[in-house]
Amino acid sequence: MPTRGDHQILRAREGIALVLRAGQRLRITNTHGGQVVDTWALARADPSEYLSMEHTRTSLGKLVPAVGDHLYSSRRRALLTLVEDTSPGAHDTLIAACDPERYRLLGAEGYHASCAENFQRALSRHGIDAPRLPAPLNLFMHVRWDEGGRLEFLASPALAGDYVTLEALIDVTVALSACPMDLNPINAGGPHDVELEILGAA
Amino acid sequence: MPTRGDHQILRAREGIALVLRAGQRLRITNTHGGQVVDTWALARADPSEYLSMEHTRTSLGKLVPAVGDHLYSSRRRALLTLVEDTSPGAHDTLIAACDPERYRLLGAEGYHASCAENFQRALSRHGIDAPRLPAPLNLFMHVRWDEGGRLEFLASPALAGDYVTLEALIDVTVALSACPMDLNPINAGGPHDVELEILGAA
C-alpha cells in the first residue's frame, strides 16, 4: 500500500487490515470528504471476538457512537474508544456491508468491488481466516431514521479533512474498506481515497 | 418439550429449535402477554446462511419488520415472511441476545439462563454446530428510539393471546428462546411460557 510519511493512503474501493496495540490510536481522515469507511475490529488474542454493532448499541443504549464512547465486542468487552471526531458525527451501525449480491441486486453488470470482499482479503493477508462477516461500523455513513423506523441513505456529510480517531483498549486487528458504493448516494460523488495514521508507540 | 394437541409449549427461560419446510408457517403466541421471544433462522441446506438483522434492515429500509415484509439472510435471500401479527407490532432488530456476561454485568449472582445459551443448546440438539451467534429478531420486544438515536428498553406491549406468524420461503431451522430476562422491564413481569404451532403440511 502506498505510504506518505506516517500516513497511509487507503485507495478508493480497497481494503486494508492493520494491527493496533493497546493504547495506540488510528486516525481515519476523509481526505476528499463524503467517503464512507466500513470498519471492523477483531481481538488479536482470539479473532472470534469481534467488534459487534448489536452489542455496542446495547451497551451504549444508542444507535450511533459519539466521542467518548467505547465500542464493544461480541463478548461485551470494550475494544476501542472513539476519542476524536471532527466530522458532523454521522456514522452508521445498522446497515450490512456491501457485497457482490448487493451490487447484482442494484443492477451492476460484471464485477464490482465490495466491502465484504475487502474485509475477507485484508484479513487473509494477515493470515486471519476471517469469521463470518460481522456487521461493520460504517464511519461517516449517514443513514437517517424517522419516528416510524424508516431508514434513508443520504450522502455522507463528512467534509474534506474531517477525521475520526479510534483508540485501542486491547490489541486488535482493524480492517477498513473505503466503500466502493457508487450506485446510491452514500459516498457523495465518490468513492475516494482516505488516509490512515497510527499514533503512539507500537 | 411438552405438547398440547398441535401446540407446543415453550417454557419460560427455555429454547427450542424446529424445522420449517418451505410453505409451512410457525405461529408464536404470547400466551400470557409481555414475553419477548428471541428468534433466529438458518438455511437447512447450509446453516452458515442465517437470518441477518443488518441485511433485513438494509433490504427493508426500516428498523422493524411488519406484516408482509420478508426477513432476509446473510446472503440477501428472503428466508421468511412475517404473514400475521396481532400484537401492537413492537419487535426489535437492534439489541444483542442476552448472555451470561450480560447478566453478570446486570448484577446477577450465580447461574442465569440466557437466550445465547438457549440458541446454542437448541441447535446442538438438532446436530447443528451453531455458527457465531447472529443478532436475533426479538419478537414482541419494545425498544424505543428517539430522534437523537437514544434507545430505551420498555415493557413488551404484547397482550395475552397476541401472536405472530412466520412463513418459510425455503427450508429453515428456526431457533426460539422465551427470553429469561428478569433484570430489566422488557418481559413485563415475566418471563412466561409461550406457545408454538406449525401450520401446513411437512
Side-chain angles (χ1 to χ4, degrees), chain A residues 144-158:
Chain A
R144 185 160 60 195
W145 58 89
D146 71 11
E147 199 181 344
R150 280 170 297 273
L151 301 176
E152 193 177 359
F153 290 70
L154 301 173
S156 170

Side-chain angles (χ1 to χ4, degrees), chain A residues 117-141:
Chain A
E117 290 188 331
N118 285 344
F119 169 80
Q120 298 290 347
R121 288 177 188 157
L123 288 176
S124 119
R125 288 193 293 268
H126 278 247
I128 298 175
D129 187 15
R132 200 185 70 200
L133 182 72
L137 172 62
N138 295 308
L139 291 173
F140 307 113
M141 181 167 175

Side-chain angles (χ1 to χ4, degrees), chain B residues 19 21-22 24 198-202:
Chain B
V19 174
R21 301 291 175 187
Q24 284 190 315
I198 296 179
L199 309 164

